[in-house]
Amino acid sequence: AWHCIAHKYEFDLAFGQLDTPGSLKIKFRSGKFMPFNLIPVIQCDDSDLYFVSHLPREPFGNTPASSTDWLLSFAVYERHFLRMTSKALPEGSCHLSCLQIVSFLLSKQSRLTGPSGLGNYHLKTALLHLLLARRPTDWKAGHLDARLHEMLCFLEKSLLEKKLHHFFIGNRKVPEALGLPEAVRRAE
């Protein structure tokens, strides 16, 4: 279909990596190119929850490489929660610095000892739990060391228990103003 309309545009569209479905590449006449991936999503009911297709590059267990998993994305609710929370935090709050430092430490450790089961998703989830558990004034810039220590302790406890609760699913402490479906808040 692209070849039928390509003459109308100043670029060409091609597949990027053949082993990565949805991988495309825009080639400009200047010779420069821009790679990107198309990821289909399906809205869940009338909410800001979306099922996102995740196409694994390698087989997991008995699942063939061509199978498609659809993951439930809370990205819109995360953004809303962070915006709502940021409005209440003091100017120059340390929540993002805390996340950046822990993320930096994880990447350094991974380079030294190899990949870890701990990822940025876990760090973000820990921060969201702490943002909800702490008063906004506890996130003043001067409290960075205490919040950083608390986040590392939270992660250590989660690792020792081998349990990190999802931030939205089953979390009745999430503000109702966020508009999260009640079924998600009450889920177990």
Side-chain angles (χ1 to χ4, degrees):
W2 174 252
H3 293 291
C4 295
I5 61 171
H7 65 280
K8 298 178 183 181
Y9 299 94
E10 300 290 320
F11 58 87
D12 192 24
L13 185 64
F15 288 105
Q17 301 169 6
L18 294 178
D19 63 337
T20 307
S23 175
L24 299 172
K25 187 187 303 186
I26 294 177
K27 296 179 187 175
F28 297 99
R29 292 189 179 156
S30 67
K32 294 183 179 184
F33 66 92
M34 181 175 66
F36 65 97
N37 290 322
L38 286 180
I39 301 172
V41 299
I42 298 172
Q43 186 175 15
C44 181
D45 294 329
D46 191 25
S47 70
D48 282 330
L49 291 172
Y50 294 90
F51 287 102
V52 180
S53 76
H54 173 70
L55 304 167
R57 293 177 191 232
E58 298 176 14
F60 295 105
N62 296 330
T63 308
S66 62
S67 72
T68 303
D69 296 321
W70 290 82
L71 305 173
L72 191 57
S73 171
F74 289 81
V76 175
Y77 287 109
E78 287 173 6
R79 189 180 80 228
H80 290 322
F81 176 75
L82 287 170
R83 278 189 183 160
M84 183 186 302
T85 304
S86 294
K87 288 178 184 176
L89 294 176
E91 191 170 330
S93 64
C94 65
H95 68 294
L96 293 178
S97 297
C98 190
L99 182 61
Q100 289 169 340
I101 291 168
V102 175
S103 181
F104 171 79
L105 292 173
L106 177 63
S107 70
K108 283 291 188 189
Q109 185 63 41
S110 296
R111 278 188 232 130
L112 290 172
T113 60
S116 166
L118 196 61
N120 285 326
Y121 166 80
H122 303 103
L123 305 181
K124 175 188 68 176
T125 301
L127 177 69
L128 294 175
H129 279 292
L130 292 175
L131 280 168
L132 191 59
R134 285 263 167 215
R135 296 179 320 224
T137 55
D138 292 339
W139 293 95
K140 290 180 181 175
H143 295 145
L144 176 61
D145 57 339
R147 296 295 75 78
L148 190 55
H149 183 263
E150 186 175 31
M151 189 164 172
L152 291 170
C153 287
F154 183 92
L155 288 166
E156 179 185 33
K157 181 179 181 265
S158 298
L159 285 167
L160 290 172
E161 293 176 355
K162 295 183 173 124
K163 186 186 326 181
L164 177 63
H165 293 284
H166 193 280
F167 180 69
F168 290 106
I169 297 175
N171 190 349
R172 295 180 184 173
K173 295 178 183 175
V174 171
E176 288 185 34
L178 210 57
L180 189 67
E182 193 61 27
V184 173
R185 290 181 70 228
R186 294 199 179 278
E188 296 205 12

